[in-house]
Amino acid sequence: MLINAGRVLMICVWAFMVFNLIHPFPKPLKYFMDIAMIFMIFMHALQTIFLKATLAKGEKLSGWLQTRIFFFGVFEMLAMQKKQKQAIEDAKKK
């Protein structure tokens, strides 16, 4: 539930920043939003790259999953972690 709320929040943040590119805000806020967008793109790209680097040799991330990690950041990684824990618990029950 909270992971989905975080995803919606990230969509709103991305929309707010893209809106600033289309229709710039007044000057001091415009510069802040430009810097924030560059920082967010950089941090989400690093997060995706580091996750790919920490995978085992045989494992690969799909392009769709990489895109979701880039846009949703930590919320997508939390969803992945939750799915992995559920899969481990299901395997233990069998």
Side-chain angles (χ1 to χ4, degrees), residues 3-73:
I3 293 174
N4 288 333
R7 287 176 176 159
V8 170
L9 177 69
M10 285 306 300
I11 289 172
C12 292
V13 169
W14 279 106
F16 191 69
M17 290 186 183
V18 169
F19 182 74
N20 179 50
L21 293 176
I22 297 168
H23 181 72
F25 298 126
K27 279 206 175 170
L29 182 59
K30 176 197 178 322
Y31 298 133
F32 172 75
M33 293 305 297
D34 290 341
I35 291 169
M37 186 170 200
I38 291 168
F39 180 75
M40 190 163 88
I41 289 170
F42 179 73
M43 293 306 292
H44 283 216
L46 270 178
Q47 188 175 28
T48 305
I49 291 167
F50 286 159
L51 180 64
K52 285 174 58 176
T54 58
L55 291 176
K57 292 288 182 186
E59 294 183 55
K60 290 200 175 193
L61 292 176
S62 67
W64 174 243
L65 184 58
Q66 289 180 34
T67 303
R68 285 177 29 200
I69 291 170
F70 178 78
F71 282 110
F72 298 119

